[in-house]
Amino acid sequence: MTEKRFEICPTSELPPGDRVITTLDGISIGVFNIDGEYHALKNDCPHQRAPLCEGKLTGTTESTAPGQYEWTADGQIVQCPWHGWEFDVTTGESVFNPHSVKAKTFQTTVESTGEARGGSSAEAAGGSPPCSSCETSEVDGEPPVDTYDVEVEHDTVVVYL
Amino acid sequence: MTDTTTIPAESSASSNEISLVDADIHQRWADDEEITQYLPPRYKDDGIVAPTLLYRNPGGFFRQEDVADDGTKPGTDLEKLASTHLDENNIDYGMLTGNSWFNLAALPNRDYAVELARAYNEWLVNDCLPVDDRFLGSLYVAPKAPEESAELIREYGDNPQIRQVMIPGGAEVPYGRPQYWPMYEAAEEMNLAIAVHPFSEGHGTSNAPTGAGHPNSYIEWHTLLGAYYMGQLASIVTEGVFVEYPDLRWAFIEGGYGWLPHFMWRLDKNWKGLRSQAPWLEQRPSQYIRDNVWFASQPIEEPETPEQHNQILDMMHADEMLVFASDYPHWDGDDPTWGLPPMEDSVERAVRYENAMELWDLPRNQ
């Protein structure tokens, strides 16, 4: 495999509807979070090489009959900032001619990176009843606190070129 | 559906091979009474009251040698029209387009416009078409009354010589609007083409004849007919007329064709970025034009060199869309023998008759 692997950012930094534009191996690439799925698109419109990924992220229209509009693919269509050509971010295909006009896409995954660290965090017990078998005591009127071990995975958005 | 085989088989053409179809021949009535006899009683006393063209042509509007000494205008004697124009030019079919001056889209009263259209159609089927089997007929309708116009189309459209419905180039709103669609539905159902011919542009209640406003002179008015047609064509394509009526055949007469490459390229280019405004279009807009629309040749474009004309023909797909028209007996007509510039044989056959046969679904053997 000659694929090159690039870590883009933690998933927490790329919420749904957001995108990040970055340069990987000299190529400008937009990485999008569309409804929790990550997609990478070359930032280069096949028409006149506009920075495609800087365009409006929107939906588009379909129709069943003249005069009828249906809104579809909401948040999944990037509209080229220059001439308005629409591309489906999830496939790179243009809406007007999906078979032969396409923007280049790249494989994008989410991978766990770094070590899963043991840790702890405190959570208020809320309305749960006191643990009768626990040795607890109220200190200065503070309610009893249950503690749990929590594993935090560090998920990272990864693009392969 | 009209049975295309019922067109009479007689023809005075020298062979049963089709060689020339003329898309625009103007017959006219010598006396208004020929039309007004068919008006209902409520309009008998009115006669023909129609807006008129206010632009003057210094040479007149007819081939001057065909105007009789007594002032009788050419096109009034239909037998003579057949024996001179059709016979002498070996025309196998000639589409009669009537007399522009009704200006039916520029009349303010819808009912009167419908009745005037009906009277014309009566005259056409009773007094014109029976004169010669080679004559084809164009129904008149009143675009401001689309439902009543659809009734006229169904009432007269089964005459086998009737092959199209004519609407004026000028109208109150563009022809893609759904208000007009009952006419298109009827035309498709009756297997008739819709043809746009210049009239009403800037007359009466219709819009200014150019987007820039009212011209100063006839040279401006006549030059810009194609610009008016561009507005109509953009409307009917983008509003989805050919999506709704995929078998509808449409013709633009006398508005030129040299602008078509520009128009089709620009429309397709815009569609790539603006497709979402007309998502019902299932293919690039120019494809609807190539599949559903024809253009009459007269007045033929005369670029600086013959090669440039052939380039236009190539760019516009003339082999699919261009049909010969003489516009006889008007001043700017093209002669059936000398009017067409040299072009490739296959294109010339398409322009002389093959495209017209398709436009009007004419039988191959007369």
Side-chain angles (χ1 to χ4, degrees):
Chain A
M1 294 290 284
T2 57
E3 276 184 339
K4 292 181 180 173
R5 180 179 179 280
F6 295 90
E7 294 184 6
I8 306 302
C9 63
T11 52
S12 58
E13 291 179 16
L14 189 55
D18 273 15
R19 80 194 88 171
V20 59
I21 295 173
T22 183
T23 300
L24 307 177
D25 211 19
I27 302 170
S28 181
I29 288 171
V31 185
F32 296 77
N33 181 338
I34 311 289
D35 292 332
E37 301 280 333
Y38 298 88
H39 304 274
L41 197 65
K42 194 175 180 190
N43 187 23
D44 186 357
C45 182
H47 179 211
Q48 291 186 13
R49 310 206 64 178
L52 176 62
C53 297
E54 294 180 27
K56 185 165 84 173
L57 199 58
T58 181
T60 189
T61 59
E62 287 179 349
S63 178
T64 54
Q68 304 294 315
Y69 294 94
E70 287 172 20
W71 188 246
T72 184
D74 188 40
Q76 190 175 321
I77 302 296
V78 67
Q79 200 175 42
C80 178
W82 287 2
H83 302 99
W85 288 21
E86 301 165 306
F87 292 86
D88 186 329
V89 176
T90 67
T91 62
E93 294 173 346
S94 67
V95 177
F96 76 86
N97 190 354
H99 302 299
S100 58
V101 178
K102 299 177 186 180
K104 186 167 177 53
T105 57
F106 302 95
Q107 185 193 348
T108 309
T109 63
V110 174
E111 298 174 6
S112 295
T113 57
E115 292 177 25
R117 291 175 300 191
S120 65
S121 78
E123 289 183 12
S128 54
C131 174
S132 57
S133 63
C134 298
E135 293 290 326
T136 60
S137 61
E138 290 195 21
V139 180
D140 296 326
E142 291 286 337
V145 173
D146 292 342
T147 60
Y148 306 90
D149 284 342
V150 176
E151 285 209 341
V152 177
E153 278 198 14
H154 288 257
D155 283 347
T156 298
V157 181
V158 175
V159 171
Y160 290 91
L161 259 58
Chain B
M1 197 66 93
T2 301
D3 180 357
T4 59
T5 62
T6 56
I7 274 219
E10 297 304 313
S11 170
S12 57
S14 55
S15 79
N16 64 0
E17 291 291 313
I18 304 295
S19 66
L20 184 60
V21 179
D22 187 343
D24 192 18
I25 300 172
H26 292 284
Q27 94 282 25
R28 59 178 301 125
W29 50 95
D31 188 295
D32 283 0
E33 173 60 22
E34 292 180 49
I35 299 296
T36 57
Q37 63 174 321
Y38 296 118
L39 283 173
R42 63 184 180 281
Y43 295 128
K44 281 277 192 213
D45 292 343
D46 295 328
I48 299 174
V49 183
T52 186
L53 180 70
L54 296 176
Y55 295 102
R56 188 182 66 88
N57 182 335
F61 291 95
F62 297 102
R63 284 165 48 145
Q64 291 304 297
E65 86 280 13
D66 283 351
V67 179
D69 291 340
D70 65 1
T72 302
K73 292 166 180 167
T76 49
D77 182 340
L78 288 164
E79 286 175 3
K80 187 179 170 198
L81 188 63
S83 65
T84 54
H85 187 67
L86 298 189
D87 286 354
E88 289 178 11
N89 294 303
N90 286 321
I91 293 169
D92 301 288
Y93 292 116
M95 177 58 79
L96 299 182
T97 47
N99 177 332
S100 304
W101 293 284
F102 270 178
N103 290 310
L104 287 168
L107 279 168
N109 187 281
R110 293 186 301 280
D111 181 66
Y112 175 67
V114 168
E115 292 308 325
L116 205 49
R118 184 193 305 282
Y120 175 87
N121 295 334
E122 284 288 332
W123 176 68
L124 178 69
V125 300
N126 292 321
D127 305 317
C128 300
L129 297 179
V131 172
D132 197 290
D133 297 337
R134 292 167 295 177
F135 287 149
L136 304 174
S138 311
L139 291 182
Y140 277 15
V141 293
K144 284 181 190 173
E147 296 286 354
E148 292 82 356
S149 293
E151 287 174 21
L152 287 176
I153 292 168
R154 291 190 172 93
E155 184 178 343
Y156 293 94
D158 60 359
N159 179 311
Q161 283 172 280
I162 297 287
R163 291 288 159 161
Q164 71 179 9
V165 176
M166 256 182 46
I167 55 178
E172 277 182 323
V173 294
Y175 280 136
R177 298 277 179 95
Q179 71 196 59
Y180 295 115
W181 291 15
M183 300 192 303
Y184 309 155
E185 184 179 346
E188 186 189 51
E189 178 188 319
M190 300 301 289
N191 195 27
L192 303 178
I194 296 276
V196 175
H197 188 287
F199 55 112
S200 302
E201 296 89 350
H203 316 359
T205 63
S206 71
N207 294 315
T210 81
H214 288 269
N216 187 54
S217 57
Y218 184 69
I219 185 175
E220 285 179 70
W221 183 90
H222 194 260
T223 300
L224 290 167
L225 289 171
Y228 208 123
Y229 281 13
M230 291 169 83
Q232 301 289 20
L233 184 57
S235 175
I236 61 173
V237 171
T238 60
E239 293 250 27
V241 168
F242 300 121
V243 177
E244 188 73 11
Y245 306 108
D247 295 327
L248 184 63
R249 303 183 303 273
W250 193 293
F252 283 102
I253 301 171
E254 212 172 334
Y257 52 88
W259 48 269
L260 257 180
H262 156 80
F263 180 90
M264 293 196 293
W265 297 335
R266 191 174 174 98
L267 187 53
D268 283 352
K269 177 168 176 155
N270 277 338
W271 173 72
K272 290 171 186 170
L274 304 171
R275 183 215 59 85
S276 64
Q277 294 184 333
W280 40 85
L281 298 181
E282 292 152 356
Q283 49 190 353
R284 61 174 58 206
S286 67
Q287 194 61 48
Y288 290 100
I289 300 173
R290 292 175 59 178
D291 291 346
N292 294 80
V293 185
W294 284 258
F295 294 82
S297 59
Q298 180 279 334
I300 205 119
E301 311 281 11
E302 295 178 358
E304 291 173 15
T305 68
E307 291 76 23
Q308 288 172 349
H309 188 261
N310 281 321
Q311 288 164 1
I312 292 172
L313 297 183
D314 188 37
M315 291 187 288
M316 70 166 281
H317 303 281
D319 58 332
E320 301 171 5
M321 294 201 279
L322 194 64
V323 300
F324 173 77
S326 72
D327 194 33
Y328 180 84
H330 285 171
W331 72 278
D332 55 339
D334 288 318
D335 186 80
T337 304
W338 301 105
L340 283 178
M343 59 185 78
E344 243 179 72
D345 286 350
S346 61
V347 178
E348 185 169 349
R349 278 197 303 277
V351 173
R352 286 176 62 88
Y353 58 93
E354 286 175 352
N355 290 341
M357 306 286 282
E358 196 180 346
L359 168 60
W360 295 312
D361 194 18
L362 297 172
R364 292 242 149 226
N365 295 307
Q366 284 188 312

